[in-house]
Amino acid sequence: MTSTSPRKRRLALGAAAVFACSLALPLSATGAAAAEPGLAGSDLFVNPFSTTLEAAQSLSGQARDDAQLLGSIPSAEWFTKGTPAEVEAAARAYVDAAAAAGQMPVLVAYNLPFRDCAQYSAGGALDTAAYTAWIDGLAAGIGDRPATVILEPDGLGIIPWYTTINGDEEWCKPAEADPATAAAARFEQLNHAVDALGALAATSVYLDGTHSGWLGVGDISDRLIKAGVERATGFFLNASNYVETERLIKYGTWISDCINLSVNSWWEPQWCASQYYPANPGDFSTWALTDAAFAQAYADTGVTRDPAAQAHFVLDTSRNGQGPWAGPVAPYPGAPAGADPEVWCNPPDRGLGALPTTETGNPLIDAYLWIKVPGESDGKCFRGTAGPLDPERGMEDPAAGQWFVEQARELIQFAQPPLAPLDCNVSWNAANAGKGSLVKLHIDGAATGPWTLSFVLPTDATVTKATHATVVQDGRKVSVTSSGSKRGNAPDVVLTTKGAADQPWIFWLDGRACTSA
């Protein structure tokens, strides 16, 4: 049994991936390096030139510290536009960097035609041919290196001119799309993407599984099957949303079970129990009723649960530490009765959730990921008013995908589990010296005894000399190790470089990230 939630979640546009440096630091996020291809057990990639660290370059004080803290934690990289050749080049540079670091890159492919039903994150390829060519470019850029692809957030939650498993017409009806072919085209596009990316030697592919406040289990399971989930690694949940992890685990498990039952027996997806029945979606204590319904379905069909063979899933925990926002009790002044308060759009006082990890302790869950880049705006939220201010915040929100200083602070302040600030700081003072630079490094927070400071130079420069330290450089990757046993900030280290030594965007002191002025 299924039901469709009246709550529609729309996804804010992430920035297109731009990665100028083909080398990255050997940074450890969580888990050990993977012994074989696959996301589970992999070490997640931290991009030393991410959009988060890019935002930090124009900030100061607490806002800069916040962006640097968030930028020190693995987040996905969004690929949202470009020609096939452009996305191929961008993906190759990004995956090259992750491969050089021995880490797993997480790429978000977000370029379907009629993306987000032409709303806040409108855009995407013009048609099926353009999209399949773009996907082929993305696949060519990834090649045979390990990679994880989050395939089209909202791609199955919002389908143009779609009739659900229950016979209901979906709300997304763009005038530019052909009502007779738009839904079928969406499944054609996703199936091509699954096959093109899944054919790669070491790429894991996850399709859109929405979240437990949205589609019923049978409805999304049916859509996943039509999109080729049996040939993919599995599905992802909660991208850019706020649903609690405990609910997502139940929901994802039921989807995996529903798919398993439906493809291996006479069972039909529309018969699957869900968060809407027999459970009560508002009372989590009743969700055991749906557990029991699935146990009965397995008994009736004779199918056996097999976590190794079933569809796996990943969860976006980038903003779900405090769960969803309930919204206002009454419409905002100037908004009509019944106006949408847009609870999904830059809600106040939300917090980061679990840190990204591929060690989940659950055989069906390959990772907790930060798919949505925390700190980037969902868009300009008017909540039923004429705008331009967000009436909940009393300010004009940044455009979708732009850095939101106030929200970044809230996510850190209300993080659950709590997130400690970075406890070291690096000052980088460079002066031109002929055809190179003299850089004075001042480090606060180094432990007593020898230390190693690692960073990636933004431009091609060579460190030719260091005082009070030794230097190892590999391309743009540099490691500076102190001499003797004195603390790192007494004396300072002076580097001599050939070529202008622009300041790195992030520093790592003995493996832990540091702020920088």
Side-chain angles (χ1 to χ4, degrees):
M1 301 178 190
T2 61
S3 174
T4 302
S5 167
R7 297 172 59 193
K8 306 295 193 297
R9 181 204 37 87
R10 306 177 181 92
L11 185 72
L13 177 61
V18 178
F19 196 78
C21 179
S22 63
L23 292 171
L25 292 171
L27 311 178
S28 177
T30 54
E36 57 186 28
L39 174 58
S42 298
D43 200 16
L44 297 173
F45 179 52
V46 177
N47 182 357
F49 298 103
S50 66
T51 55
T52 302
L53 294 172
E54 180 181 21
Q57 304 314 299
S58 61
L59 301 172
S60 61
Q62 184 66 60
R64 181 181 176 89
D65 289 351
D66 287 346
Q68 290 177 333
L69 171 59
L70 294 174
S72 71
I73 300 168
S75 291
E77 194 83 8
W78 288 66
F79 295 77
T80 66
K81 58 184 179 182
T83 65
E86 288 170 341
V87 75
E88 178 180 348
R92 178 173 290 111
Y94 183 66
V95 177
D96 278 349
Q103 297 176 328
M104 174 63 73
V106 178
L107 302 83
V108 179
Y110 190 53
N111 197 38
L112 277 169
F114 302 105
R115 181 178 67 199
D116 196 30
C117 202
Q119 298 177 106
Y120 284 73
S121 300
L126 292 178
D127 53 29
T128 297
Y131 181 71
T132 56
W134 186 86
I135 283 290
D136 291 345
L138 182 71
I142 294 171
D144 61 359
R145 284 82 51 78
T148 295
V149 178
I150 302 299
L151 184 57
E152 298 296 345
D154 284 345
L156 290 174
I158 304 176
I159 302 175
W161 294 99
Y162 185 65
T163 299
T164 74
I165 196 172
N166 298 319
D168 301 321
E169 291 186 355
E170 289 266 274
W171 58 273
C172 178
K173 299 178 179 180
E176 300 84 356
D178 184 346
T181 62
R186 172 62 56 87
F187 290 111
E188 178 185 352
Q189 294 151 11
L190 290 173
N191 272 278
H192 176 87
V194 167
D195 289 337
L197 295 165
L200 301 177
T203 296
S204 300
V205 183
Y206 298 88
L207 285 156
D208 176 30
T210 71
H211 61 75
S212 62
W214 195 352
L215 297 183
V217 171
D219 193 353
I220 188 57
S221 297
D222 180 64
R223 299 183 194 203
L224 283 164
I225 292 169
K226 291 175 180 175
V229 71
E230 294 172 75
R231 306 187 310 280
T233 312
F235 53 94
F236 62 89
L237 302 177
N238 202 46
S240 193
N241 215 273
Y242 303 85
V243 176
E244 299 94 333
T245 297
E246 62 180 1
R247 291 173 176 259
L248 297 171
I249 292 173
K250 288 277 193 185
Y251 182 63
T253 300
W254 296 336
I255 293 171
S256 182
D257 282 345
C258 185
I259 294 169
N260 186 35
L261 289 163
S262 299
V263 302
N264 290 305
S265 76
W266 45 264
W267 191 265
E268 297 290 340
Q270 60 263 39
W271 300 336
C272 290
S274 77
Q275 72 275 36
Y276 297 112
Y277 185 84
N280 178 342
D283 183 357
F284 189 65
S285 69
T286 69
W287 287 32
L289 296 173
T290 293
D291 290 333
F294 273 100
Q296 186 62 53
Y298 273 107
D300 292 343
T301 60
V303 176
T304 302
R305 281 190 174 95
D306 183 1
Q310 290 181 219
H312 287 201
F313 57 100
V314 297
L315 309 180
D316 185 356
T317 59
S318 62
R319 307 190 296 180
N320 72 344
Q322 296 292 334
W325 178 48
V329 175
Y332 294 96
D340 183 2
E342 300 175 341
V343 296
W344 54 269
C345 192
N346 299 329
D349 300 338
R350 300 304 92 190
L352 301 165
L355 291 176
T357 180
T358 59
E359 302 292 342
T360 68
N362 187 311
L364 286 176
I365 304 175
D366 288 343
Y368 299 144
L369 300 176
W370 285 6
I371 296 174
K372 167 69 177 181
V373 179
E376 292 185 357
S377 176
D378 293 321
K380 295 181 181 294
C381 313
F382 302 153
R383 309 189 194 283
T385 70
L389 300 184
D390 178 345
E392 177 62 30
R393 293 180 173 274
M395 61 178 290
E396 185 172 351
D397 297 346
Q402 299 302 304
W403 192 252
F404 197 164
V405 169
E406 291 80 4
Q407 189 183 67
R409 175 90 293 268
E410 293 169 359
L411 290 173
I412 295 170
Q413 179 182 355
F414 296 106
Q416 193 57 245
L419 186 62
L422 302 181
D423 62 355
C424 54
N425 181 266
V426 177
S427 296
W428 176 279
N429 298 304
N432 291 333
K435 296 182 179 181
S437 298
L438 287 176
V439 180
K440 186 176 182 180
L441 283 174
H442 180 86
I443 306 169
D444 290 316
T448 301
W451 48 260
T452 297
L453 185 74
S454 301
F455 51 87
V456 178
L457 293 168
T459 56
D460 291 325
T462 302
V463 180
T464 58
K465 182 180 177 183
T467 62
H468 311 297
T470 58
V471 174
V472 175
Q473 183 168 358
D474 180 8
R476 292 183 181 176
K477 294 188 297 182
V478 179
S479 294
V480 180
T481 301
S482 64
S483 300
S485 60
K486 293 185 178 180
R487 289 182 60 84
N489 54 353
D492 295 327
V493 173
V494 178
L495 305 179
T496 304
T497 72
K498 180 180 179 181
D502 293 345
Q503 179 170 328
W505 289 8
I506 190 167
F507 295 89
W508 300 85
L509 180 63
D510 296 330
R512 70 186 197 273
C514 301
T515 59
S516 62

